[in-house]
Amino acid sequence: MLASPLFAQPLAGANTCGALIHTPPSQMDAATRIAAGREAVRCLINAERTSRNLGALSANSRLTSAAQGHADAAASLKWWTGGANPHVNPQTGSTIDSRISATGYCGGKQRLIGEIAYTGRGAGAPSEGCPLGECATPAAAVNWWMNISKSGHREQILTSAYNELGTALAGVAATPDGALPEMGTYVVDFGACDAPEPAPPASGTSPPPPPPPNFQRTAVRFQNMHVNDCPEIGVCDWKLTCHIGNQPDVELLGMVSRNTGEDVPLSTTMTQDGAPPMLVTCTVKERDGPFLFFDSAVWELVGTVSTPFDKGQRDLRINQNRGEGDVTVQILVESLGATHSGTSPPPLPPPPAAPTGCRIPEASFPRCGFLSAQCDAPLPAASEYLIAGVVGQVFRSVPEIGLVDAEYREEGDRTLKVCARNAGGTRCSNGFGASLGPLVCPHPPAHRICPEGQRPCPLKGCIANNQHCDFLQ
């Protein structure tokens, strides 16, 4: 079932991580935020991990420094709004990698890193948009990462390969909204080194020597996923995870809808020490289940393929379970040559075009914490789609019919925009009005049974899976 405030699971550390987990950073003094506040977040994260038989994460001063610098910058610049990337500082251009690299984490050795972020403000009953009756506390942040977000935050927390983290808090929100008594911004940086981290050099000593001249590093650039066959009537929902060598899995696609013959742009690059060939492993799953949010769904395995690739453009075809689908992942393998830090990244693609004609469909008014936005079809090609102006996550997009479905966590009248994003930037539609109905529905809508290949449509009965209710006025 889709995560939402209605279906959030209890936090594993709710009764063991102390009372401070329910205190927003704006109500902590600086000393408390730096010590007990950071530890409250770490305790909640470790409780989630250890309750699933994963190792607890120790605090790392370098990761903490990177996280705190980013949290302070976000609190000052307040750019986490309107679909902006919270992990890229718009003023300095700093990224997760550059911030952590600047601290000297892992001493230049092979490493695995990741970052999650959250900002919140206000408090109130769950029906007013705060899942726990609080929006800015450590508990609210970890609850959102674990139970509400669909952008990989839960997967970051539960990545088994991590063994360290740095937590950071700021006492104001990272959005330009007005001040409230309850505010907070959170950044957590995760990491793991392939060897014990060296101690910082003592004052006056020389830095570590550079790598030998014949040092090699390889980049694997995931560029595209092509759907060779979608076995469903309508469109298929796909999930893609990949890794190189013995690194942990990375989720490249959480849930994206594409039909036979269509492509999904990818923009992930993985690097590892050593020269090609490089072992690449990818797993694809396809979602079986009704279209509507109140039905359960099952992710069926399409297949897992591991292949060693030499340099050049390569295709990884995944179709062991042909009844669930057939896709090809397109990959570019490059040698970064005799350098330890790699080469400059490839130029970014141009940002996508802005969606047009976006609106709330007549027969699909927002309610129960879920909304649908309809734009001119097809949507511009993009890596992902967002709805700006609403607190919540997109959980489904069907570009060929211009449909974007999302959850929301605040009621009332809003001006929304549908945004298309890729590695080159984000562009949004003109604003359109929406009245977001009650978050809590006392009874779910009646479950209509439709013939195979069709789905329920309010007021209209059963329609084809690849049609939108608004198409049949």
Side-chain angles (χ1 to χ4, degrees), residues 3 11 41-42 44-45 48 80 87 115-119 137-158 165-169 185-190 409:
L11 293 176
V41 176
R42 187 172 78 95
L44 287 170
I45 289 175
E48 298 297 330
W80 293 7
H87 303 291
E115 183 177 88
I116 57 177
Y118 175 88
T119 191
T137 65
V142 177
N143 180 69
W144 188 82
W145 289 328
M146 287 296 299
N147 295 320
I148 298 174
S149 168
K150 298 180 182 66
S151 300
H153 299 92
R154 178 187 180 93
E155 289 75 14
Q156 286 285 335
I157 289 174
L158 301 181
L165 87 172
T167 56
L169 290 73
T185 295
Y186 300 81
V187 177
V188 179
D189 285 344
F190 299 95
R409 296 192 286 130

Side-chain angles (χ1 to χ4, degrees), residues 290 294-295 446-452 454-456 461-462:
F294 51 81
D295 294 320
H447 186 168
R448 177 189 293 272
I449 303 299
C450 290
E452 184 177 355
Q454 297 185 10
R455 62 185 180 88
C462 296

